[in-house]
Each structure stands twice: as C-alpha cells, then as structure tokens.
C-alpha cells in the first residue's frame, strides 16, 4: 500500500448534553494488515446517525457504549485493498460496520459485498440499506399501516422520515403529513408527495398537526419524541399505532423529558406505542430491497443526501445532523 | 309495587381534582313504569369503578361524560319487578348498565339474564363479569403473556389486579409481582399466590420492583400509571409488553402528568405499550367464562369483595375506591 497512515476519529470525552468537537479527537495510526480470514477496506463513505449519540453515554443499552480513546464505529462502505479471506479480493466494494476511520480491518463475516453497477454506492448506506429498511419495517411491520389510513412522520426531511412518507403514499395511505425544521425542508416534503407538511418552529406541534390532519391520524412514525409524540397521541384516532424509531429531541437532554403529558389517552383510544430496532426486522430485507429497487428504477421514490467531505470533518457532520442541518441522509466522504 | 319512591345518585357538580361528597346528590323520583319492550329492575348490587372518575369530567372520550343533574350509571345487577318485554319476567335476575339508582328502567336489549344458582350473584359484577374479562383479556390478549415470563401488576389487591396475578400463575408465569397500598394488602397478595409483593409507600417503586424482580419483567399490567409505569419500563426486558388498563394515580390530577421520564427506553428495549378497553375483547367472553368458572369451582382462583350498604353511601364507596380503601371488588348493596 502506498499510504502508510490511517486517520480515525476517537471519542475523547463523553458529552454532557449537546456534544461539541472537543468530544472527538483525530488520531493517526498505522494502516492495518489483514490476518487470516481478514480484510482491509479503504472507506469511501460513512454514515452518521442519530442513534450514535446514545452510544456516547456510558449507559447500558442494546449496543454497548463507545469506548473512550478508541475509534467510534458505524455503517460504512469502501473498497477492499488487502484480503486474506476467501471470497474477497482487492477492488471489491463492501458494506460493513467500522466507519469513523480511513482504513478498516475486518473479519470477513463482518463485510458484505455490494454491486456498484446496480445503484450508486451511497444508496447501500441509505435508501437501499439500513435507513430504507428502518422506514419500511417501521411503517409496515411495526405500525402495520393499512391503505386508506392517515400517517404522520416527524423529522420527515431526514433520511428515514422522507422514505416513510413516500412508502406510505405508495402503499395507499390516504393522507401523509410530515414535520420538519425549516421552510425549505417543508417545501421539499411537498415535492416528495407529502399531502401536508409543517415547520415545527411555526407554533405548537399539537396545533400544527391538527391543522394538517383535521380528521386525526392512524399511524405515527416517531423520530423525535417529546412534543411531537404528545401531539401525535392527541391527534390519534381509536386504535392508532406509533412506531417509535427515535427521540432525537431528547438525546441531548440532561434532565428527563416531561412530554408526552397525555399518555393516559392510550387507554380510551386503545393506542399502541411500540419501540423498534431495525436489526429485529432482517427477515423483511429481501422483500424490501426488491420493492425499493423497483421504486427507484421507476422513479417513484426520491432520496436526498447531504455529503460532508473528509474524515476530519466527521464530528462536525454528526453535530450538524443533531442540529438538523441535513436534508436526507447525512454521509461523510472519507 | 309497594314502594313508590326511587332513590338515585345525581352528579351535582363536576369535581376539580379529588371529588368530594358535594359532587353528588341523592334525589328521589317516582318508581318508573315499563313501556312496551321495557322492564323495571330493582337493583341489588352496583359496581363502582375507577373509570367513572374520567366520565365526571366534561371531556370527550370513549364514553360520553356523565351529565350534570342526572343519574350516574354503571354496571348493576337486580331483580326484574315489572316487564313489558318478551323473555323477561318478574323474579329474573339481570345484569345491566344502569346502576347508581334503586330502580332502573331498561330496554330489554340492555339487560342480560344470569343464573343465580351457578355462582353468587355478585360474581357476575366481578370475577365472572367485566372485571374478570378485563384481567383475562389484558394479560393474555393485549400483553400476550407466555408461560415462563415474569409479570408485574399494580393495584394488585384491587378487583382486576388480584385476578391478573392469579391468572398469570395459572397460565404458567414463572414469577408474579404485585404492588399495593398497605401491608395488609401485601399479605393478601402472598396468600393469593403472588411470588412477591410490595407496598408502594415503602420506597421508590423503581427500587421496590427491582428487588422483587431482580432479573426484570416481561409483562406489566398497568392500573396506576405514573411512577409505576416508569418503574415497569425501567425493569422491562427486551420485547417487554405493557397492557395499560388504567392510570388511577392520575385521575384526579389537575395538571397533566409528566411522562414516564424513561420513555425513550421503549426503543432500545423494543417495548410495546398498549392501551385497551374490555369492550373490544368481547370475543373472548365465552372462553373466559368457561375457564374462570372452572377455576372458581376447583378453588384455583379466589376473589375479594368490599361491600358498602345503601345507595346513599354509593358516593362514599366511590371515593373510598379512589383512596384505595377496597380489597378486591368494590360493590354497593343497593
């Protein structure tokens, strides 16, 4: 290999509340060499995702917390540059879980080859990958959306939210409402086919949602929590369902969130609130990829990407994601 | 008929916060006479239930609010004293929905005959009636309890809660925990076969639950809300389910209750919170009655009743229920 230095991002300190660039450190290490059954990948793109904020806390959860003074990790895609593993050769493009670094040393079972001629490679990190499956599984499997229903999705201009709204329309939703954090995003939602959209800064979410869906909603896809979840509960019709994917409004809170204050409504309206992780829905992957690939081919689904250049800017990309500066999927071109 | 005066309880004023006896009024009216297709029932027992508190507010919900200056209503049982309806004759014992009065004028379709030789008549208002079905449907259908699981139920010495715990054991739960509001109730839970029980006054519910179920819980049957729901979410194992039946801790709140402060845990643990009303589960009634009648016959299920005498004391019985003064089902002998 011609380059002998690998740059990676370490967690330098655990954030209290909102993270800053001081919580991260750029570290230079030698480019690794594969052992038996391993490969080395030069990363081309890495994903930054809201759930990573949770892993920066020292709290037991479904995934272990990030270690201090060690590289962060997360979804990434790159080219194999060295392989001691059967079935992988230099030049292969692979998807794996060791982002936040220029060169990743992987066991072969942690890598999955993708075909760069079928779709732009970034699609494997977003619309055709975990992001798309999250939208698809949450809406159809967790919330069980049925044709004719009204759907509300928060953070609707984000990577997952924008797909939720489009999939809902393609699956026969009668009315799809999205909330987002700027007028430009609201405009984008309308272009994507949302029936109504609002900027949550424009007034109480509860009121904006009632205006956007005057007859109530059946399904809520929650990426935000807090006042958005409270508004959704308030607007839900009997037997409504919420698929709870994320609560980005609360990830940086140092005090527990107060909302939703109307949780008792779940009884009289017989509501179901269900948290989920995409990992539990791998059984849907084949169906999802086949269907989504078709929608992409015929232009029924559009997706946005916000790409930040340079591994050294990955912390800033992540902070921008938490501030809602992305349209669609936030990626770092490594 | 020899008695010409009917006494009934009216809602005199809507309670703000905790109700008092001033919210009720005893009113004398003539004993009604049945028209075609109607019957008159002399009530023997009436049920007082926590959900009635919600109907005292002027808020749209799944049942209309009680009207001011009109009799309250609710589950009751009595003897037909006059009938102009086919299939009903004086002396029949019927179950119906017009309690809070001595004499009820009913359309025949609002009455269901019960057999007083099969079980004590009060059982039709409790263990074999809506109370029992609520416990059965909530635990097995809504929460989907499976053998080997750990179950937690709040207000466990109440009518519904005490049945939830016993049904859970009969259906193979590995460990059943109940919370209640006094040492005497905790003792009663142990006698009923609960594996562990605690008085929620003895310390933070979260800590008491962790002690009572150190390996966590799979199912929570919620009658209380508030800190009990928060403790349950905290103790839940992955894929845990809560059947939300009531939130008695909040019924008299004048400010909206804060959310469980750990609601975001539903994502990582993939929890389901599901509100329900027994009315949606009528399809289970026959199975339930057959199974429960068997358990009563062979002594597998015990049930408690707290009986207050006199229609004039019905408001006090209801207030006592809200204060937790009942063991098992709270009934008024009219």
């Amino acid at each position: 290999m011609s380059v002998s230095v690998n740059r990676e991002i370490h967690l330098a300190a655990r954030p209290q509340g909102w993270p800053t660039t001081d919580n991260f450190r750029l570290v230079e290490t030698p480019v690794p060499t594969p052992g038996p059954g391993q490969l080395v990948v030069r990363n081309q793109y890495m994903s930054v995702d809201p759930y990573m904020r949770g892993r920066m806390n020292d709290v037991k959860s479904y995934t272990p917390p990030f270690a201090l003074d060690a590289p962060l990790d997360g979804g990434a895609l790159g080219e194999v540059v060295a392989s001691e593993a059967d079935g992988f050769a230099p030049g292969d493009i692979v998807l794996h879980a060791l982002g936040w670094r220029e060169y990743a040393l992987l066991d072969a079972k942690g890598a999955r080859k993708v075909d760069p001629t079928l779709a732009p490679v970034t699609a494997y990190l977003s619309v055709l990958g975990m992001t798309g499956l999250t939208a698809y599984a949450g809406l159809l499997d967790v919330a069980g959306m049925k044709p004719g229903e009204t759907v509300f999705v928060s953070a609707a201009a984000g990577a997952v939210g924008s797909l939720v709204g489009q999939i809902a329309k393609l699956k026969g939703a009668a009315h799809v409402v999205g909330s987002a954090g700027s007028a430009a995003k609201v405009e984008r939602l309308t272009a994507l086919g949302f029936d109504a959209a609002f900027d949550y800064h424009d007034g109480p979410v509860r009121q904006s949602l009632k205006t956007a869906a005057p007859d109530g909603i059946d399904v809520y896809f929650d990426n935000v929590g807090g006042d958005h979840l409270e508004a959704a509960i308030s607007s839900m019709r009997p037997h409504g369902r919420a698929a709870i994917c994320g609560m980005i409004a609360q990830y940086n809170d140092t005090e527990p969130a107060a909302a939703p204050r109307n949780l008792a409504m779940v009884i009289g309206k017989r509501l179901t609130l269900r948290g989920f992780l995409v990992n539990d829905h791998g059984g849907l992957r084949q169906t999802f990829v086949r269907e989504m690939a078709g929608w992409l081919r015929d232009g029924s689904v559009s997706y946005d990407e916000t790409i930040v250049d340079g591994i050294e800017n990955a912390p800033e990309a992540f902070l921008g994601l938490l501030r809602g500066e992305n349209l669609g999927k936030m990626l770092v071109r490594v």
Side-chain angles (χ1 to χ4, degrees), chain A:
Chain A
M1 283 170 266
S2 59
V3 180
S4 61
V5 172
N6 169 48
R7 296 187 303 163
E8 55 191 29
I9 306 290
H10 287 201
L11 184 63
R14 299 198 183 281
Q16 308 294 321
W18 281 85
T20 69
T21 51
D22 290 345
N23 298 122
F24 303 90
R25 184 185 300 125
L26 183 69
V27 174
E28 296 194 349
T29 63
V31 173
T33 308
Q38 292 187 315
L39 39 134
V40 170
V41 175
R42 187 174 61 224
N43 282 333
Q44 296 172 333
Y45 291 95
M46 59 168 270
S47 176
V48 289
D49 298 288
Y51 79 85
M52 294 171 173
R53 176 63 188 85
R55 294 188 63 198
M56 293 175 187
N57 298 332
D58 191 15
V59 172
K60 190 183 141 194
S61 182
Y62 57 99
T63 39
F66 290 125
L68 278 178
D69 301 317
L72 300 160
D73 59 62
L77 179 138
E79 182 184 349
V80 174
V81 292
S83 171
E84 295 290 337
D86 290 346
F88 290 92
D92 287 348
I93 303 297
V94 298
L95 199 61
H96 62 90
L98 293 183
W100 296 87
R101 68 200 75 188
E102 289 176 320
Y103 289 88
L105 175 67
L106 296 170
D107 288 337
K109 69 172 178 343
R112 187 159 64 84
K113 270 195 275 194
V114 300
D115 185 342
T117 67
L118 283 184
V121 291
T122 55
Y124 293 102
L125 283 175
S126 61
V127 64
L128 283 173
M130 213 168 71
T131 301
L133 183 58
T134 299
Y136 187 90
L139 180 69
L140 303 177
D141 203 25
V142 178
M145 189 209 89
K146 294 184 288 287
E149 291 193 321
T150 292
V151 174
F152 171 48
V153 54
S154 52
V160 171
S162 61
L163 295 176
V164 168
Q166 294 178 80
I167 296 168
K169 290 302 288 183
L170 288 164
K171 290 289 188 179
H175 191 69
V176 175
V177 177
S179 69
S182 73
K185 287 179 178 180
V186 166
E187 199 171 316
R188 178 66 185 145
L189 294 181
T190 307
L192 288 174
F194 282 67
D195 298 290
F198 61 88
D199 181 343
Y200 64 81
H201 300 100
D202 285 350
V205 179
R206 193 187 283 230
Q207 191 49 55
S208 300
L209 179 57
K210 281 201 199 310
T211 304
D215 298 327
I217 65 173
D218 303 292
V219 165
Y220 174 48
F221 192 107
D222 191 13
N223 292 308
V224 171
D227 56 352
H228 276 78
L229 179 55
E230 183 169 302
I233 290 172
S234 179
S235 273
M236 271 195 181
R237 290 199 275 243
H239 303 289
R241 293 90 61 205
I244 303 187
C245 177
M247 293 194 175
I248 197 170
Q250 299 172 206
Y251 291 168
N252 297 307
D253 287 354
T254 49
E255 293 296 316
R261 294 163 300 178
N262 56 357
L263 196 57
M265 281 188 178
V266 303
I267 303 169
K269 298 207 263 189
R270 297 88 107 196
L271 306 182
T272 300
L273 312 182
R274 196 171 158 209
F276 76 103
L277 297 176
V278 66
N279 312 3
D280 289 334
H281 300 270
L284 273 179
R285 182 181 295 278
Q286 284 197 308
T287 311
F288 155 69
V289 169
R290 191 173 55 240
E291 200 155 25
M292 182 58 81
W295 289 329
L296 291 171
R297 262 197 310 275
D298 69 17
S300 319
V301 164
S302 303
Y303 63 101
D304 298 311
E305 294 174 337
T306 301
I307 297 180
V308 170
D309 271 304
I311 184 77
E312 68 278 13
N313 294 318
E316 194 46 58
F318 176 70
L319 301 180
L321 174 78
L322 293 184
R323 290 190 296 259
E325 291 168 5
N326 56 307
L327 190 67
K329 183 71 183 181
M330 183 69 108
L331 295 171
V332 176
R333 190 182 287 119
V334 177

